[in-house]
Amino acid sequence: MVVWRGAGVSASFDPVSNVWKKNSSAPIGPRDLQSTAWTGTEMLVWGGYVFGGTAVLGDGARYRPS
């Protein structure tokens, strides 16, 4: 399971070892109402609104746990 916030805590959970691991810093800023998808190897985060604001974002990033 991957938890992404773009700021503060971003982490991955390995159910086999029952361990949470802190992820590296995100290359994009925090946001609300973004779209996310799991491809089977990486998580994609796209768009949304500026965190706590109304400006629409047109950028994104991907995260590969491996």
Side-chain angles (χ1 to χ4, degrees):
M1 173 173 56
V2 178
V3 177
W4 181 83
R5 291 182 54 197
V9 178
S10 294
S12 299
F13 179 71
D14 181 348
V16 174
S17 63
N18 196 32
V19 173
W20 283 95
K21 179 183 85 171
K22 185 176 178 182
N23 298 334
S24 58
S25 298
I28 56 176
R31 56 199 61 216
D32 291 323
L33 302 172
Q34 72 277 356
S35 295
T36 58
W38 179 252
T39 69
T41 57
E42 58 190 12
M43 183 175 78
L44 308 175
V45 177
W46 189 262
Y49 294 88
V50 172
F51 188 71
T54 59
V56 177
L57 298 168
D59 63 349
R62 61 187 185 184
Y63 170 71
R64 183 175 295 210
S66 61

XYZ file of all heavy atoms in Angstrom:
494
model
N 0.850 -1.160 0.000
C 0.000 0.000 0.000
C 0.901 1.229 0.000
O 1.882 1.288 0.736
C -0.890 0.004 1.245
C -1.681 1.267 1.389
S -2.911 1.250 2.726
C -1.945 0.858 4.137
N 0.590 2.210 -0.846
C 1.349 3.456 -0.922
C 0.455 4.595 -0.461
O -0.675 4.725 -0.914
C 1.838 3.734 -2.364
C 2.569 5.049 -2.441
C 2.706 2.594 -2.872
N 0.964 5.426 0.443
C 0.255 6.606 0.914
C 1.032 7.820 0.429
O 2.217 7.967 0.745
C 0.160 6.632 2.458
C -0.519 7.903 2.927
C -0.584 5.405 2.954
N 0.395 8.660 -0.379
C 1.071 9.837 -0.913
C 0.328 11.092 -0.493
O -0.879 11.188 -0.665
C 1.140 9.789 -2.436
C 1.844 10.977 -2.996
C 3.204 11.136 -3.121
C 1.267 12.188 -3.457
N 3.488 12.365 -3.630
C 2.304 13.039 -3.850
C -0.032 12.641 -3.567
C 2.089 14.302 -4.350
C -0.246 13.910 -4.068
C 0.803 14.719 -4.469
N 1.063 12.058 0.044
C 0.461 13.337 0.407
C 1.135 14.487 -0.316
O 0.594 15.570 -0.354
C 0.563 13.560 1.916
C -0.325 12.616 2.699
C -0.275 12.867 4.167
N -0.569 14.257 4.477
C -0.284 14.826 5.631
N 0.306 14.137 6.568
N -0.581 16.081 5.853
N 2.335 14.293 -0.830
C 3.048 15.372 -1.490
C 3.766 16.283 -0.510
O 4.604 17.068 -0.888
N 3.416 16.203 0.738
C 4.069 16.983 1.798
C 3.939 16.176 3.078
O 2.996 15.418 3.255
C 3.395 18.336 1.965
N 4.868 16.319 3.954
C 4.782 15.597 5.215
C 5.064 14.120 5.027
O 6.128 13.742 4.595
N 4.078 13.276 5.289
C 4.279 11.834 5.285
C 3.911 11.209 3.945
O 2.817 11.406 3.442
C 3.430 11.172 6.393
C 3.596 9.661 6.361
C 3.811 11.728 7.749
N 4.828 10.521 3.359
C 4.581 9.652 2.213
C 5.255 8.341 2.559
O 6.428 8.319 2.912
C 5.171 10.242 0.932
O 4.508 11.427 0.590
N 4.515 7.244 2.478
C 5.057 5.987 2.954
C 4.539 4.812 2.149
O 3.541 4.909 1.454
C 4.698 5.800 4.427
N 5.255 3.698 2.259
C 4.858 2.437 1.646
C 4.770 1.386 2.741
O 5.583 1.377 3.664
C 5.893 1.984 0.618
O 6.010 2.924 -0.410
N 3.805 0.488 2.619
C 3.630 -0.601 3.574
C 3.886 -1.919 2.883
O 3.335 -2.199 1.829
C 2.211 -0.573 4.147
C 1.944 -1.680 5.111
C 2.534 -1.678 6.365
C 1.103 -2.724 4.772
C 2.286 -2.700 7.268
C 0.849 -3.753 5.670
C 1.439 -3.736 6.918
N 4.745 -2.729 3.473
C 5.036 -4.071 2.964
C 4.272 -5.066 3.829
O 4.645 -5.297 4.984
C 6.534 -4.340 3.032
C 6.905 -5.710 2.487
O 6.006 -6.554 2.269
O 8.098 -5.933 2.274
N 3.186 -5.663 3.307
C 2.378 -6.573 4.125
C 3.101 -7.871 4.494
O 2.762 -8.497 5.488
C 1.153 -6.847 3.252
C 1.591 -6.560 1.868
C 2.643 -5.486 1.973
N 4.099 -8.257 3.728
C 4.836 -9.482 4.038
C 5.674 -9.295 5.301
O 5.670 -10.136 6.195
C 5.729 -9.906 2.847
C 6.602 -11.096 3.221
C 4.875 -10.229 1.631
N 6.376 -8.160 5.396
C 7.223 -7.909 6.566
C 6.511 -7.093 7.642
O 7.056 -6.897 8.728
C 8.503 -7.183 6.147
O 8.184 -5.913 5.601
N 5.292 -6.589 7.326
C 4.507 -5.791 8.259
C 5.260 -4.523 8.684
O 5.275 -4.155 9.851
C 4.101 -6.614 9.488
C 2.984 -5.950 10.266
O 2.138 -5.280 9.702
N 3.006 -6.137 11.573
N 5.924 -3.875 7.704
C 6.761 -2.705 7.981
C 6.360 -1.542 7.081
O 6.135 -1.713 5.884
C 8.252 -3.050 7.749
C 9.140 -1.825 7.851
C 8.712 -4.111 8.722
N 6.276 -0.328 7.679
C 6.087 0.911 6.928
C 7.457 1.491 6.621
O 8.354 1.473 7.467
C 5.306 1.929 7.751
C 3.847 1.660 7.804
C 3.178 0.975 8.776
C 2.872 2.070 6.853
N 1.832 0.931 8.489
C 1.624 1.603 7.310
C 2.920 2.789 5.664
C 0.441 1.832 6.614
C 1.747 3.019 4.981
C 0.525 2.548 5.445
N 7.633 2.034 5.417
C 8.889 2.654 5.021
C 8.602 4.059 4.508
O 7.725 4.238 3.653
C 9.562 1.831 3.930
C 10.883 2.414 3.424
C 11.444 1.589 2.289
C 10.795 2.087 1.011
N 11.342 1.556 -0.211
N 9.319 5.059 5.007
C 9.147 6.427 4.534
C 9.710 6.534 3.120
O 10.788 6.029 2.828
C 9.863 7.398 5.462
C 9.622 8.835 5.080
C 10.269 9.784 6.069
C 10.024 11.205 5.605
N 10.650 12.187 6.486
N 8.947 7.166 2.231
C 9.389 7.363 0.844
C 10.214 8.638 0.732
O 10.167 9.502 1.598
C 8.181 7.465 -0.086
C 7.354 6.208 -0.082
O 7.836 5.123 0.196
N 6.087 6.345 -0.383
N 10.930 8.761 -0.361
C 11.675 9.983 -0.626
C 10.706 11.136 -0.891
O 9.522 10.923 -1.137
C 12.602 9.785 -1.826
O 11.847 9.406 -2.950
N 11.202 12.348 -0.852
C 10.369 13.525 -1.077
C 9.754 13.497 -2.473
O 10.397 13.073 -3.432
C 11.196 14.796 -0.923
O 11.689 14.895 0.385
N 8.529 13.975 -2.571
C 7.828 14.003 -3.855
C 8.355 15.154 -4.721
O 8.669 16.229 -4.206
C 6.331 14.181 -3.627
N 8.437 14.953 -6.040
C 8.904 16.012 -6.934
C 7.815 17.045 -7.267
O 8.072 17.985 -8.001
C 9.334 15.244 -8.186
C 8.444 14.045 -8.180
C 8.238 13.693 -6.726
N 6.613 16.834 -6.744
C 5.513 17.776 -6.965
C 4.940 18.183 -5.615
O 5.113 17.487 -4.628
C 4.403 17.172 -7.859
C 3.887 15.863 -7.271
C 4.897 16.987 -9.281
C 2.728 15.231 -8.028
N 4.260 19.314 -5.598
C 3.726 19.834 -4.355
C 2.458 19.138 -3.910
O 1.830 18.391 -4.664
N 2.064 19.401 -2.653
C 0.833 18.819 -2.122
C -0.374 19.345 -2.876
O -0.344 20.448 -3.425
C 0.825 19.272 -0.661
C 1.709 20.453 -0.614
C 2.720 20.272 -1.688
N -1.438 18.565 -2.930
C -2.624 18.926 -3.703
C -3.855 18.228 -3.185
O -3.772 17.242 -2.486
C -2.403 18.596 -5.174
C -2.045 17.133 -5.399
C -1.394 16.857 -6.737
N -0.148 17.589 -6.850
C 0.295 18.121 -7.981
N -0.360 17.978 -9.097
N 1.422 18.791 -8.016
N -4.995 18.761 -3.554
C -6.291 18.165 -3.236
C -6.916 17.612 -4.508
O -6.680 18.140 -5.599
C -7.253 19.220 -2.673
C -6.861 19.712 -1.297
O -6.374 18.901 -0.497
O -7.051 20.908 -1.025
N -7.714 16.579 -4.377
C -8.531 16.020 -5.468
C -7.727 15.631 -6.698
O -8.187 15.737 -7.828
C -9.641 17.013 -5.848
C -10.587 17.396 -4.699
C -11.509 18.511 -5.137
C -11.371 16.197 -4.224
N -6.516 15.126 -6.483
C -5.707 14.643 -7.604
C -6.230 13.299 -8.081
O -6.960 12.622 -7.370
C -4.242 14.523 -7.186
C -3.938 13.382 -6.247
C -4.209 13.708 -4.784
O -4.560 14.826 -4.445
N -4.049 12.717 -3.926
N -5.839 12.921 -9.278
C -6.144 11.586 -9.794
C -4.935 10.703 -9.542
O -3.795 11.139 -9.687
C -6.428 11.643 -11.295
O -7.582 12.384 -11.542
N -5.185 9.465 -9.163
C -4.097 8.510 -8.964
C -4.464 7.190 -9.637
O -5.638 6.862 -9.793
C -3.822 8.244 -7.468
O -5.005 7.752 -6.860
C -3.350 9.494 -6.759
N -3.439 6.475 -10.038
C -3.646 5.157 -10.648
C -2.453 4.278 -10.322
O -1.325 4.762 -10.201
C -3.799 5.295 -12.159
N -2.703 2.992 -10.179
C -1.648 2.003 -9.977
C -1.510 1.208 -11.259
O -2.474 0.627 -11.756
C -1.990 1.092 -8.812
C -0.951 0.052 -8.570
C -1.073 -1.281 -8.839
C 0.357 0.245 -8.050
N 0.104 -1.928 -8.501
C 0.998 -0.999 -8.014
C 1.067 1.371 -7.608
C 2.301 -1.167 -7.552
C 2.362 1.194 -7.153
C 2.959 -0.065 -7.128
N -0.298 1.165 -11.836
C -0.074 0.476 -13.102
C 0.304 -0.988 -12.917
O 0.392 -1.716 -13.892
C 1.058 1.157 -13.896
O 2.295 0.938 -13.210
C 0.800 2.635 -14.087
N 0.549 -1.370 -11.688
C 1.063 -2.708 -11.410
C 2.522 -2.644 -10.991
O 3.028 -3.554 -10.348
N 3.211 -1.562 -11.366
C 4.604 -1.372 -10.956
C 4.856 0.010 -10.363
O 5.852 0.200 -9.670
C 5.573 -1.552 -12.149
O 5.206 -0.640 -13.190
C 5.544 -2.987 -12.656
N 3.988 0.978 -10.644
C 4.180 2.314 -10.106
C 2.854 3.042 -9.909
O 1.847 2.685 -10.526
C 5.116 3.149 -10.986
C 4.649 3.311 -12.405
C 5.705 3.935 -13.305
O 6.885 4.055 -12.913
O 5.355 4.306 -14.423
N 2.883 4.048 -9.025
C 1.704 4.857 -8.776
C 1.854 6.171 -9.540
O 2.909 6.802 -9.500
C 1.552 5.165 -7.290
C 0.290 5.950 -6.991
S -0.011 6.207 -5.234
C 1.135 7.516 -4.894
N 0.802 6.562 -10.244
C 0.787 7.822 -10.977
C -0.113 8.803 -10.239
O -1.198 8.444 -9.794
C 0.246 7.608 -12.387
C 0.915 6.498 -13.207
C 0.192 6.325 -14.527
C 2.381 6.787 -13.411
N 0.354 10.044 -10.103
C -0.414 11.120 -9.478
C -0.484 12.245 -10.496
O 0.544 12.642 -11.062
C 0.273 11.630 -8.189
C -0.499 12.788 -7.588
C 0.438 10.515 -7.183
N -1.689 12.762 -10.758
C -1.834 13.792 -11.777
C -2.899 14.807 -11.386
O -3.951 14.450 -10.869
C -2.213 13.178 -13.118
C -2.156 14.202 -14.212
C -3.194 14.911 -14.731
C -0.992 14.671 -14.874
N -2.754 15.789 -15.675
C -1.389 15.664 -15.788
C 0.363 14.364 -14.779
C -0.495 16.339 -16.608
C 1.249 15.030 -15.601
C 0.821 15.994 -16.509
N -2.610 16.077 -11.720
C -3.598 17.150 -11.599
C -4.009 17.458 -10.180
O -3.241 17.331 -9.241
N -5.245 17.911 -10.052
C -5.781 18.311 -8.767
C -5.770 19.820 -8.611
O -5.644 20.566 -9.587
N -5.893 20.255 -7.369
C -5.914 21.679 -7.036
C -4.813 21.984 -6.040
O -4.447 21.134 -5.232
C -7.261 22.047 -6.404
C -8.413 21.908 -7.355
C -9.083 20.695 -7.498
C -8.838 22.982 -8.124
C -10.135 20.559 -8.375
C -9.894 22.859 -9.009
C -10.535 21.641 -9.127
O -11.577 21.504 -10.009
N -4.293 23.211 -6.080
C -3.303 23.639 -5.096
C -3.845 23.333 -3.709
O -5.013 23.617 -3.422
C -3.000 25.148 -5.243
C -2.131 25.641 -4.098
C -2.341 25.435 -6.578
N -3.028 22.745 -2.863
C -3.442 22.346 -1.521
C -4.014 23.548 -0.774
O -3.355 24.550 -0.590
C -2.247 21.765 -0.766
C -2.596 21.144 0.549
C -3.294 19.953 0.598
C -2.237 21.749 1.730
C -3.613 19.361 1.802
C -2.548 21.178 2.942
C -3.235 19.981 2.976
N -5.274 23.465 -0.404
C -5.938 24.534 0.322
C -6.362 25.708 -0.543
O -6.795 26.731 -0.038
N -6.266 25.581 -1.864
C -6.600 26.686 -2.765
C -7.548 26.271 -3.865
O -8.179 25.220 -3.798
N -7.633 27.120 -4.905
C -8.558 26.844 -6.003
C -7.865 26.724 -7.359
O -8.518 26.414 -8.347
C -9.623 27.955 -6.093
O -8.968 29.206 -6.295
C -10.468 28.005 -4.832
N -6.553 26.981 -7.429
C -5.835 26.900 -8.704
C -5.723 25.447 -9.159
O -5.374 24.561 -8.383
C -4.451 27.517 -8.576
N -6.026 25.203 -10.426
C -5.953 23.864 -11.007
C -4.509 23.561 -11.403
O -3.823 24.402 -11.975
C -6.870 23.763 -12.248
C -6.741 22.405 -12.907
C -8.308 24.036 -11.866
N -4.050 22.352 -11.095
C -2.683 21.923 -11.424
C -2.685 21.013 -12.649
O -3.584 20.189 -12.809
C -2.072 21.181 -10.226
C -1.935 22.022 -8.968
C -1.615 21.130 -7.775
C -0.848 23.057 -9.164
N -1.692 21.158 -13.489
C -1.587 20.340 -14.694
C -0.311 19.534 -14.728
O 0.188 19.217 -15.804
N 0.241 19.208 -13.560
C 1.467 18.420 -13.531
C 1.221 17.101 -12.804
O 0.132 16.851 -12.319
C 2.606 19.196 -12.877
C 2.332 19.536 -11.408
O 1.182 19.351 -10.950
O 3.257 19.993 -10.723
N 2.234 16.288 -12.761
C 2.102 15.008 -12.103
C 3.448 14.366 -11.874
O 4.484 14.944 -12.205
N 3.421 13.186 -11.292
C 4.651 12.440 -11.026
C 4.309 10.966 -10.920
O 3.143 10.583 -10.866
C 5.291 12.924 -9.725
N 5.340 10.157 -10.888
C 5.141 8.723 -10.700
C 6.079 8.238 -9.607
O 7.139 8.813 -9.354
C 5.392 7.967 -11.989
C 6.772 8.115 -12.522
C 6.890 7.483 -13.880
N 8.266 7.548 -14.321
C 8.666 7.160 -15.489
N 7.809 6.654 -16.346
N 9.919 7.236 -15.823
N 5.661 7.175 -8.937
C 6.458 6.597 -7.861
C 6.520 5.091 -8.071
O 5.502 4.427 -8.215
C 5.824 6.901 -6.496
C 6.470 6.133 -5.377
C 7.751 6.446 -4.961
C 5.827 5.066 -4.778
C 8.378 5.721 -3.949
C 6.427 4.338 -3.759
C 7.711 4.673 -3.366
O 8.314 3.956 -2.386
N 7.738 4.594 -8.085
C 7.955 3.155 -8.229
C 8.578 2.633 -6.930
O 9.712 2.967 -6.616
C 8.884 2.877 -9.404
C 9.094 1.389 -9.656
C 9.912 1.156 -10.866
N 9.158 1.639 -12.017
C 9.262 1.127 -13.227
N 10.094 0.157 -13.451
N 8.541 1.624 -14.208
N 7.844 1.816 -6.155
C 8.349 1.332 -4.871
C 9.674 0.595 -4.943
O 10.457 0.653 -3.993
C 7.248 0.399 -4.377
C 6.035 0.830 -5.090
C 6.499 1.344 -6.423
N 9.949 -0.064 -6.043
C 11.212 -0.808 -6.148
C 12.363 0.145 -6.309
O 13.488 -0.141 -6.061
C 11.179 -1.786 -7.310
O 10.985 -1.096 -8.522
